[in-house]
Each structure stands twice: as structure tokens, then as C-alpha cells.
Amino acid sequence: MTDSGPENDRAGTEGTADTADTAGGGDTAGKDSGESTHDTDDSGSSSGKNGSGHPRRRRLRWAAGAVSVALLAGAGVGWSLYQNLDGNIRTDVDTAQELRQHEAERPDAAPGEAENILLLGSDSRGGGNGAYGDDIGERSDTAILLHVAADRRSATGVSIPRDLMVDIPGCTARDGGRTPARFAQFNWAFQYGGAACTIRTVEKLTGTRVDHHLTLDFSGFKKLVDTVGGVEVCLPAAVRDRDARLDLPAGRQTLDGEDALGYVRARHGIGNGSDTQRIGRQQQFLGSLVKKVRDDEVLLNPAKLYPVLDSATSALTADSGLDSLTELYELVRGVRDIPTDRVRFLTIPRQSYALDANRDELVQPDADRLFAQLREDRPVRVANGSGDGRDAGTAEPGRPSGPSARPGNQPSRDAVESPAKPSPTYRGTTAARDVCAADDAGIGMN
């Protein structure tokens, strides 16, 4: 991603300096011409001194002045555009205040320059989202913990199922009251306590500190997809889902914002209707979005970049560490050169909850091993599965795992692997994977 503001400012300043030299050269050229004409006058010609010399100098001055004015205007427009983008982003002040009150219980930061960013998709029906149902409060349809490696050579997005049973700490409610600590499905944290409660729940679950968070709503998602010209998906069969307002043919196709929103939200009329398959489709869609932006060189083309930045920033609510265009630029600049096969997506190892088949629980020790890899900034490997029916994100067979009636909140000793032991491989996908590749994992991602 290119910082359209500061870069333009620098370009404008450098361009103005160069133009000043040119302008000076223009005057010098005019004077030299005048001196040369004057020499000619000495030899008997009077056409230079009183004829064409002054108009030429005036034309050069006017040209230099016009260029200077244009550059100054351009710098002004660049600064105005930067200010507009910067002002689009909404800062989540309440979350920062809540997290400060619980700083003592939060995990340590990741080593080195590694960063963990919680990406939240809000299903709020407020504002411009009323067409998607009644306003019954804000919940999180999507939660992805994005780990950006310290060496900026890989990025791993770990999806957290909305129905995963977890320990949710006591939190400040949206109405200012307090919610009691409870063992409940994960998306309750956002519904009752917002981003701060969700962050604390993720940190308690994984032992991993969340450095930043970004929240995107329905309207923002649609606008972003439309701005990049749509995103490619591949459907093994035609889809008809009235709830998601989705009516799509089978095969490879590019979805606009409205259809893309229906695609990533759909549970009925596509696949087996499970949340697990929906998460898989979201991961594949994000991979396709990353590839689209990279292939079109959006990040390197200011003309293409500005509309994308405008859409993205106007749709985001961010913490104070990512609430400016400069901070977002620094983050994206560090990851824009990551190869697409190192942009990985997987789901926390999960299975049906022993006490309720409609809920999920962690698979251990697989989950704790994954959390340890994120905390220690070790590479996470993903690969398509063999279609053996296991869920996305579950480590490949051959490693012990088993049900956990209640997810553990602290990493087990089994999670810390010896250097000699190879890292496990998890079922998932990468941004490099073709959208119409065979769905070997059996999770409906294509």
C-alpha cells in the first residue's frame, strides 16, 4: 500500500524544488538570450534589445509561474486527500479505556516486531445496514486473529468460530453496566461487551496479546469489494439463498459487493449449511481478495489506490494504534511483499461440543500448539486436507487430539514443542490457491 498523503507531500516538495531550479534556468536562459542579443546589437542589429527579447523572457516567467502554481495546487490537493482519508477512520476510544483497566491480566506482547490484529466483521443493522434485518444489536459474524510475522515474510489469519464455547470474562456492557463472567459461545462477547470484551476473551483463550483491532460493517465490506472491481469465487453448484439474498450460477465468477456479502454470510442453500463451511468460504474469499489487489498492482498505483483507501478507511473502526492513514500504511507496507502462498488462513482446531452439537469446542492439544506457535512467532503451516471429513484448521492425522468438555484458557505444557519436533500442519488455505481448485478439504471453500 502506498501512503498517498505523505508520499504525495514529499513528491510535491521535491517536484517544487526541481521546478524552482527549472524556473531559475528559464530566467537564466532568457537573460543569456538577452545578452546574446545585446552582443548582436553591438554588431549592428537592434531586433533583440527592443524587439523579441522581453516577450520571450515574459513567456518563460509565465510558464515557470504556471508550473509552480500547478505543483502547489497539486500538493494542496494531495494534503486535502490525505486529510480526508485520515479523517475517515473512526477511533474506538471506549475499547482502549476498557483494556487499560485490565492491563495487568493481559498477555505480554509478541516478540520483536510481530503483531497480532483482531479483525471483526460487525453484523449491525444500524445506519445503512437496515436492509439486512431488524436492528437487534451489534454482533460479530466474523472474527479473525491475524498474526503478522516479525520478519514480514508471512501472515496467518486464524478464524474463531462464533459458536465456539469459551470463558468470557466479566466485561463492561454496552449500556455501561457489567456483564458477569460466563462460559458461553464466543460471539456473546462482542454482542454484550463490544470489541474490548472480545479482545479479552481472545487473549484469555489463546494466551496471545491482541496488539490492534479493526471492525468492518456490512456497508463497508460491500463498498470495498466494489471499489476493487469485484472478487473472484468458484461455486461447485448454483446457489439460491433467500436469507442471504443470493442467486448465483455454478462456476468461476466475479462477485460485486452485494453478492459478495451474501456469499460470505450465507449458511442456507450453499454447502451443508454449517458455520464451519461458511468460515471456509470467508477464508477463500479473503485469499482471493488479497490476490486481486496484488495482481492488479493496486498497492503500487496511486490512481487505483486512492479509491480503495477511501473505501477501506471510511468503513473501519480502529484502535488508536491503527486509526491514522500513516499507521495503516506502515502496517500494509510491511506485508505487501509477502508471497501469496505465505498468506495463510485456517480455523482454530474445533469439533462439535460434547454437550450441544450446535456448539463447538477446541480440539486439544492441537489448539494449544497453534496458540504457542503464534505467541512465539513460529511459522504456521497449512495445507488442503485429504477429504477425511475433519474440520478446517484441525491438525493433520498422526498427532494426538481429543475432545475437551471445557476449553482451556492457559496453554498446556504440550503446546511447547521441542526444536527437534516438526511443526504440525493444519488444514486451511492460502491466498495463492486457485478458487476453482478441487475442494480436497471438504469444507466448501470453493
Side-chain angles (χ1 to χ4, degrees):
M1 184 174 289
T2 303
D3 184 357
S4 62
E7 289 291 345
N8 282 354
D9 289 346
R10 286 193 291 272
T13 303
E14 292 165 2
T16 304
D18 292 343
T19 305
D21 292 340
T22 304
D27 273 351
T28 303
K31 290 175 182 178
D32 289 343
S33 174
E35 289 167 1
S36 175
T37 303
H38 189 271
D39 291 341
T40 304
D41 289 344
D42 289 341
S43 65
S45 173
S46 62
S47 62
K49 186 174 182 180
N50 296 317
S52 63
H54 290 303
R56 182 179 181 184
R57 287 198 295 272
R58 285 197 297 271
R59 285 196 298 272
L60 288 169
R61 291 193 188 100
W62 290 339
V67 171
S68 298
V69 169
L71 285 171
L72 288 172
V77 170
W79 177 247
S80 176
L81 294 178
Y82 174 82
Q83 290 287 81
N84 179 61
L85 293 174
D86 204 50
N88 282 344
I89 308 171
R90 298 179 295 274
T91 305
D92 191 350
V93 177
D94 293 340
T95 293
Q97 293 175 344
E98 175 78 0
L99 292 177
R100 277 195 294 270
Q101 296 177 20
H102 300 279
E103 180 60 39
E105 69 188 43
R106 302 185 66 195
D108 294 333
E113 298 298 319
E115 290 186 286
N116 296 301
I117 304 163
L118 186 61
L119 309 177
L120 298 171
S122 167
D123 71 351
S124 170
R125 269 65 167 182
N129 301 314
Y132 301 99
D134 297 331
D135 188 359
I136 55 175
E138 189 176 12
R139 296 176 299 185
S140 177
D141 260 2
T142 304
I144 298 175
L145 183 62
L146 177 65
H147 177 78
V148 181
D151 61 10
R152 298 302 190 259
R153 295 179 63 186
S154 67
T156 305
V158 181
S159 296
I160 305 174
R162 54 184 286 175
D163 295 328
L164 183 69
M165 298 301 292
V166 298
D167 283 313
I168 300 175
C171 298
T172 300
R174 294 180 183 276
D175 62 4
R178 294 288 299 178
T179 62
R182 67 183 78 188
F183 182 63
Q185 62 194 81
F186 174 73
N187 69 338
W188 280 26
F190 191 83
Q191 182 174 355
Y192 296 110
C197 194
T198 304
I199 290 170
R200 293 177 59 215
T201 300
V202 170
E203 291 182 340
K204 188 175 180 66
L205 174 71
T206 66
T208 302
R209 187 182 181 95
V210 175
D211 301 298
H212 303 292
H213 71 280
L214 297 168
T215 304
L216 181 70
D217 65 15
F218 289 165
S219 296
F221 176 85
K222 291 193 305 179
K223 185 178 179 183
L224 181 58
V225 172
D226 284 335
T227 302
V228 300
V231 175
E232 188 178 63
V233 302
C234 191
L235 299 176
V239 174
R240 305 286 186 273
D241 188 336
R242 286 191 305 173
D243 292 338
R245 303 185 177 190
L246 208 57
D247 187 354
L248 300 173
R252 188 186 298 268
Q253 55 202 288
T254 298
L255 302 185
D256 62 14
E258 187 71 37
D259 284 339
L261 179 62
Y263 176 77
V264 299
R265 294 185 62 229
R267 294 185 65 171
H268 308 293
I270 182 170
N272 63 11
S274 70
D275 194 47
T276 300
Q277 283 201 352
R278 181 176 70 159
I279 290 173
R281 288 191 296 275
Q282 291 174 351
Q283 293 171 351
Q284 187 64 50
F285 184 89
L286 288 173
S288 188
L289 175 60
V290 169
K291 188 158 52 178
K292 173 67 178 288
V293 172
R294 292 281 294 273
D295 289 350
D296 284 3
E297 295 186 338
V298 171
L299 302 180
L300 301 176
N301 186 333
K304 293 182 178 180
L305 180 61
Y306 181 82
V308 175
L309 286 176
D310 187 42
S311 297
T313 55
S314 62
L316 289 175
T317 300
D319 65 275
S320 58
L322 285 180
D323 66 344
S324 76
L325 190 61
T326 301
E327 289 162 334
L328 285 173
Y329 165 70
E330 288 299 326
L331 170 66
V332 178
R333 184 180 67 172
V335 302
R336 69 183 177 188
D337 294 327
I338 296 176
T340 52
D341 63 342
R342 290 175 179 251
V343 179
R344 308 171 177 119
F345 299 95
L346 68 152
T347 304
I348 282 181
R350 45 71 57 205
Q351 61 190 5
S352 294
Y353 179 44
L355 303 181
D356 185 347
N358 294 317
R359 301 289 179 260
D360 294 329
E361 66 181 3
L362 298 181
V363 172
Q364 295 292 13
D366 296 13
D368 279 347
R369 285 175 172 166
L370 172 61
F371 302 153
Q373 286 176 264
L374 297 178
R375 285 194 306 275
E376 298 164 11
D377 194 30
R378 290 189 282 121
V380 175
R381 297 187 302 174
V382 302
N384 278 344
S386 58
D388 59 5
R390 304 186 67 179
D391 290 313
T394 302
E396 287 188 335
R399 295 170 42 243
S401 63
S404 171
R406 187 177 178 89
N409 291 313
Q410 296 300 324
S412 66
R413 291 184 179 180
D414 290 337
V416 182
E417 300 176 293
S418 66
K421 185 183 296 184
S423 298
T425 299
Y426 297 89
R427 301 275 297 281
T429 190
T430 72
R433 182 176 183 265
D434 183 77
V435 291
C436 281
D439 186 16
D440 296 332
I443 56 176
M445 290 198 297
N446 62 332

